[in-house]
Amino acid sequence: MGILDVIVLGVIQGVTEFLPVSSSGHLVITQYLLGINSPGNTLEILFHFGTLLSVVFVFFNEIKLILMSLHERNTQILIGYLIIATIPAVFVGIGLKDYILGIFDSVEYVSLALIFTGSVLILSSKFKHSQKKHSFFSSLVIGLAQALAIIPGISRSGLTISMSIFLGIAPKEAAKFSFLLSIPIILGASLFGVFELENDGMIDSLTVFVAIFTSFIVGILALKLLLKMLEVGKFHFFGIYCLGAGIFATFL
């Protein structure tokens, strides 16, 4: 795999990680179309680490505020909800790791997952939020949605934000919770990636740097675009795109 291939995949990862169109699904389709062979899912994990840095960069003030107010009750409750929402994905990621890795090369699975994602996003436009706050129940449901989104083609941000909207939570608050929730999951996956990286020896240090840097820069731009789309109520437009991408993928 050449550096140009890494840049192409890094741009796609950065754009699709935060836009609710499934970054993993787009990486599977792109690698298939361009004939790019990636060593397992190690390269994708590097891209995820780059986009993790994007989350930290864009939400730096919010993260800083949380860290500085750990002694406050509201912050402790928020962290508790984030932990609750993280648990399902941890169990699914560890328990079904081999199965999930096996479908990372399946365009057929991805096409069906994209169609599912598109349907959920479009459906979210039919729900009106009522300024509800996060609770134990909502955190658990959002966590289950995130666990389901481990499947390539199902958007993590799309599913978790949509589920929050279904539960009556305001889009802006839904997005904040979703991206804070992404930090422990992506960080955990990145740690697994370091172990894999040491064992396969197929990616050099330059590739690692390019993969992380490209997805980081593009991820910042994509994240800001998504937040803007949520503000103007156009979130469900991504659902139309996902349906089209899913239908297109079924013919590959």
Side-chain angles (χ1 to χ4, degrees):
M1 176 183 294
I3 292 299
L4 182 59
D5 294 331
V6 176
I7 293 175
V8 170
L9 294 177
V11 169
I12 292 173
Q13 169 69 27
V15 170
T16 58
E17 173 67 23
F18 300 118
L19 301 184
V21 295
S22 177
S23 58
S24 58
H26 277 72
L27 286 176
V28 171
I29 293 174
T30 302
Q31 290 182 66
Y32 177 84
L33 290 175
L34 300 181
I36 299 174
N37 293 317
S38 171
N41 72 331
T42 306
L43 186 59
E44 181 179 354
I45 291 172
L46 292 174
F47 291 143
H48 277 303
F49 182 70
T51 51
L52 170 61
L53 297 179
S54 301
V55 175
V56 175
F57 181 86
V58 173
F59 287 98
F60 179 78
N61 289 333
E62 286 81 356
I63 295 172
K64 179 181 178 181
L65 182 61
I66 290 174
L67 293 176
M68 293 180 63
S69 60
L70 290 175
H71 61 285
E72 296 181 5
R73 179 63 175 169
N74 288 340
T75 299
Q76 294 171 357
I77 291 175
L78 172 61
I79 293 175
Y81 288 158
L82 290 171
I83 292 174
I84 292 170
T86 299
I87 292 174
V90 172
F91 278 101
V92 171
I94 295 176
L96 300 178
K97 181 176 182 250
D98 293 337
Y99 173 76
I100 293 170
L101 288 177
I103 64 177
F104 261 87
D105 295 324
S106 174
V107 177
E108 180 182 3
Y109 274 106
V110 169
S111 65
L112 295 175
L114 281 171
I115 292 173
F116 171 78
T117 297
S119 301
V120 171
L121 294 179
I122 293 174
L123 184 62
S124 71
S125 66
K126 307 300 180 182
F127 285 73
K128 302 298 182 182
H129 63 84
S130 53
Q131 300 295 336
K132 288 186 178 180
K133 301 297 181 181
H134 287 286
S135 63
F136 175 89
F137 175 75
S138 68
S139 300
L140 181 58
V141 172
I142 293 169
L144 292 172
Q146 177 170 253
L148 181 61
I150 291 177
I151 298 174
I154 297 182
S155 168
R156 193 205 68 83
S157 63
L159 212 59
T160 54
I161 293 175
S162 293
M163 194 58 63
S164 296
I165 293 174
F166 294 158
L167 295 171
I169 298 170
K172 185 176 181 180
E173 182 63 27
K176 177 183 175 182
F177 189 85
S178 173
F179 293 123
L180 289 176
L181 182 60
S182 72
I183 294 177
I185 290 297
I186 299 177
L187 182 59
S190 298
L191 293 178
F192 275 111
V194 170
F195 176 77
E196 240 182 84
L197 190 62
E198 293 177 349
N199 281 276
D200 61 39
M202 297 177 67
I203 300 182
D204 56 37
S205 57
L206 176 61
T207 300
V208 171
F209 173 77
V210 172
I212 294 175
F213 183 75
T214 304
S215 56
F216 166 66
I217 295 299
V218 180
I220 292 174
L221 300 176
L223 180 50
K224 290 186 176 182
L225 173 61
L226 175 59
L227 294 175
K228 184 64 177 179
M229 293 289 282
L230 281 167
E231 284 182 10
V232 298
K234 304 298 183 183
F235 180 67
H236 62 282
F237 279 19
F238 293 108
I240 299 173
Y241 169 81
C242 285
L243 285 179
I247 293 172
F248 168 76
T250 61
F251 293 99
L252 295 179

